[in-house]
Amino acid sequence: MAPNSPAARRVALRLLAKDGAPRTTRSDPSELVAAIYAAFERLGGSLTRWFGPFGYHALLTRSLAYARSEHPALANVRIQSATHPSLEGLAESVELHGADAISEGIVSTLMAFTDLLGRLIGEEMALRLIDQCAPGSEPEIDRTDPGGMS
């Protein structure tokens, strides 16, 4: 799965949509920031159980670095700490670059995260783990696939 795959983008958008991030980019930027924080908090809460805080931190750091190379609006977004990985600097970045630029950069970060996780544990498992953070959505894998994890 490439960092720009359609499956990775759908997973990223579903994760953010749970907290309303995509639909708030044109309204209140503080709602966008809160939605992004909540999505990453859910993602971190779920994945640190499997990979520990340092594993999650490594994936998030690498994903953010990749996205930053394509989205300069993320230049001031940082990860708070290795023991409790969370993003900081979002509000300031939204103020400087606009909600649309930050929103697209965060989607790119999540897509890169999905790709990196997929390289470690396989695409299907990565999509399944991230889908669990966005309940109520259809998984990206084919449930009828006998080689899948059904």
Side-chain angles (χ1 to χ4, degrees):
M1 172 175 36
N4 59 356
S5 80
R9 185 167 184 82
R10 283 190 300 271
V11 166
L13 291 173
R14 271 200 311 270
L15 182 63
L16 291 170
K18 183 174 187 319
D19 291 300
R23 69 176 175 270
T24 60
T25 58
R26 300 213 189 276
S27 58
D28 186 358
S30 65
E31 290 178 19
L32 171 66
V33 170
I36 292 169
Y37 280 131
F40 277 92
E41 189 68 28
R42 263 192 339 278
L43 184 64
S46 177
L47 295 182
T48 55
R49 287 189 298 241
W50 294 98
F51 304 104
F54 295 106
Y56 176 69
H57 178 265
L59 287 169
L60 185 55
T61 299
R62 184 76 176 123
S63 302
L64 185 58
Y66 176 82
R68 215 182 264 132
S69 71
E70 295 184 1
H71 299 276
L74 296 175
N76 296 323
V77 176
R78 302 276 180 248
I79 301 169
Q80 186 173 346
S81 76
T83 56
H84 184 70
S86 63
L87 299 177
E88 65 179 26
L90 281 172
E92 297 83 4
S93 294
V94 168
E95 207 171 285
L96 285 171
H97 302 284
D100 289 337
I102 295 301
S103 182
E104 194 53 42
I106 292 299
V107 168
S108 180
T109 301
L110 288 168
M111 290 169 64
F113 189 95
T114 303
D115 176 58
L116 288 171
L117 186 58
R119 290 182 198 179
L120 292 172
I121 64 172
E123 179 180 346
E124 290 180 12
M125 180 62 86
L127 291 168
R128 184 178 300 272
L129 284 175
I130 294 172
D131 268 344
Q132 289 176 359
C133 298
S137 59
E138 279 298 310
E140 275 302 315
I141 63 170
D142 182 2
R143 290 182 184 261
T144 62
D145 178 14
M149 301 193 54
S150 304

